Amino acid sequence: MLGINPLRLAVLAAISLPGLVHAAETTQVADQVALMEQAKSQGIAGIAKKTLPVDARPAVVGEIVVTRILGEGVETKSKPAEQGDWVVRNHCPETGNEQYLVKATKFPKRYGEPQSKPDAEGFSAFRPIGQDMNYFIVSNQQGDFHFTAPWGEEMVAKVGDAIVQTPSDTKDTYRVAAAAFKCTYEITKPAKE
């Protein structure tokens, strides 16, 4: 059946994508939340938490943060920042110390209080609170796929990347580039491959 594995086919069949033509040579479109549910039901999801310190600064209202991964280019673009949102910068040279926008409601639950005074650019040091996150690694069998991130931007998940999910908010399921996941997350329960 065009080399599409049953997991991906089941997910594609379960979601409605009007007018989308799938071909074996194109990247598939998938529902990352449904993929996570299948990974959990099949016992191949693990648990990890972000542990590497980050820098963060208050976002400027209306600011759009472009997340660039070293060697890959643009990963995603945020929606315009709203009052209270934060720009977070990873300490991960392997990925180019990528930056991303975190909503005001999520930031304190993920990063807590600043660990330093702001620098000249307004960044302070923060230590992730270390919330347990569900995750699975995109396998060769699943292949690369496109999906819509929780903030509305299209993302591409590539083989080797992690799909992570906040357990208390299953819609908060998104891609973490393979290098960023290895650099910034600590695995507490390994995912089965």
Side-chain angles (χ1 to χ4, degrees), residues 9-99:
L9 191 58
V11 170
L12 293 174
I15 58 178
S16 173
L17 299 167
L20 186 63
V21 176
H22 295 284
E25 66 276 2
T26 63
T27 303
Q28 300 297 311
V29 176
D31 177 337
Q32 79 281 11
V33 177
L35 283 173
M36 179 62 76
E37 289 309 309
Q38 290 216 354
K40 288 191 295 190
S41 72
Q42 294 175 358
I44 61 171
I47 297 175
K49 55 180 148 187
K50 188 166 186 176
T51 57
L52 189 73
V54 299
D55 295 325
R57 66 167 173 80
V60 175
V61 173
E63 177 178 8
I64 295 174
V65 178
V66 179
T67 303
R68 290 183 176 85
I69 304 293
L70 184 66
E72 289 186 23
V74 174
E75 177 185 49
T76 189
K77 295 178 186 175
S78 72
K79 288 185 176 181
E82 298 173 329
Q83 185 66 40
D85 291 351
W86 287 78
V87 177
V88 176
R89 179 176 60 202
N90 278 341
H91 289 206
C92 189
E94 297 92 327
T95 62
N97 302 316
E98 76 276 14
Q99 297 183 28

Side-chain angles (χ1 to χ4, degrees), residues 92-186:
C92 189
E94 297 92 327
T95 62
N97 302 316
E98 76 276 14
Q99 297 183 28
Y100 48 93
L101 187 72
V102 177
K103 301 303 292 173
T105 56
K106 294 181 180 182
F107 186 83
K109 296 173 191 170
R110 291 185 180 175
Y111 298 103
E113 297 295 321
Q115 306 293 305
S116 71
K117 293 185 180 191
D119 65 14
E121 295 177 277
F123 283 98
S124 296
F126 285 84
R127 180 166 300 282
I129 291 174
Q131 174 184 12
D132 284 346
M133 303 285 281
N134 297 318
Y135 84 95
F136 72 88
I137 303 299
V138 178
S139 68
N140 285 324
Q141 186 181 20
Q142 290 165 323
D144 298 352
F145 60 88
H146 288 264
F147 66 94
T148 302
W151 51 92
E153 182 75 16
E154 183 176 288
M155 292 187 87
V156 176
K158 299 176 181 178
V159 171
D161 289 345
I163 302 297
V164 299
Q165 179 184 67
T166 305
S168 62
D169 180 6
T170 57
K171 290 183 181 177
D172 193 15
T173 304
Y174 50 91
R175 169 209 192 223
V176 177
F181 186 76
K182 288 175 187 168
C183 180
T184 63
Y185 280 77
E186 176 184 325

